[in-house]
Amino acid sequence: MTISRISSQSRPRAVAITLFGTALLFLAAFSSAHATENPPIRMTHGIEYMSGGIGSDEAQLMETVAPRWPATFEFAIKDHKGADFASDVRVTVRDAKGRVLLDHVASEGPFMVARLDPGTYEVEARLRGNTLKQTLQVTPGTPARMAFLWPAGTDMASVGTGTVQ
């Protein structure tokens, strides 16, 4: 019977390999627990869209994917220092013939991207009774970006209904 022994020279190496492997497992578990998942891609009337951006990781992810989508919408409420992101915005997109492509879809964060064909669109964004409308021009190969900025106080429950343009 042969018994293998770890020599005194290989023992530090075995310990180092074990520690390195343990460190890799820890890092893999830690990074997967904090990994940002893509928000789901949804479809309505044949138009794919995705929205999100809650938290810095997801906001960064939405900024990263935005150039790969023909249209990007950003939602914010003006405050005294700049603007705060807004979510739960209801978005309606109509084509040049007035057909509704996105019908009051709810944003799940301050960013929304959509796969719109080249053309002209009317985009309506509604936040707590306040509606903003803009015209969007999508051209082939050039991502279009549109920002909706509501006035300060829009996020307050006491705000009545009205149209802001």
Side-chain angles (χ1 to χ4, degrees):
M1 172 191 240
T2 305
I3 298 176
S4 299
R5 293 189 176 230
I6 298 175
S7 71
S8 60
Q9 291 177 338
S10 63
R11 193 170 300 162
R13 184 175 182 195
V15 170
I17 290 172
T18 302
L19 288 174
F20 181 74
T22 303
L24 281 179
L25 287 173
F26 174 78
L27 289 174
F30 180 78
S31 64
S32 67
H34 289 72
T36 301
E37 292 183 28
N38 285 357
I41 295 175
R42 302 185 189 285
M43 184 180 288
T44 182
H45 300 287
I47 303 297
E48 287 183 327
Y49 69 96
M50 177 173 66
S51 77
I54 300 293
S56 61
D57 288 346
E58 195 173 284
Q60 179 61 44
L61 180 123
M62 292 298 290
E63 287 285 352
T64 301
V65 302
R68 297 180 193 116
W69 290 73
T72 299
F73 311 116
E74 185 174 338
F75 313 112
I77 302 169
K78 187 176 172 92
D79 69 9
H80 302 293
K81 299 174 217 128
D84 288 328
F85 285 133
S87 62
D88 198 28
V89 175
R90 300 296 172 159
V91 179
T92 300
V93 176
R94 291 180 180 85
D95 67 11
K97 295 178 182 176
R99 290 182 298 210
V100 176
L101 302 176
L102 296 178
D103 191 10
H104 296 354
V105 296
S107 72
E108 296 173 17
F111 298 100
M112 181 179 283
V113 292
R115 293 207 195 280
L116 298 174
D117 291 331
T120 302
Y121 300 90
E122 179 185 81
V123 183
E124 180 181 291
R126 184 176 187 87
L127 177 65
R128 297 179 188 91
N130 292 285
T131 303
L132 300 174
K133 292 181 184 179
Q134 295 186 47
T135 301
L136 176 70
Q137 183 68 43
V138 176
T139 56
T142 305
R145 189 173 188 107
M146 179 175 281
F148 290 91
L149 181 63
W150 284 269
T154 301
D155 58 343
M156 297 172 59
S158 63
V159 173
T161 60
T163 300
V164 181
Q165 293 188 2

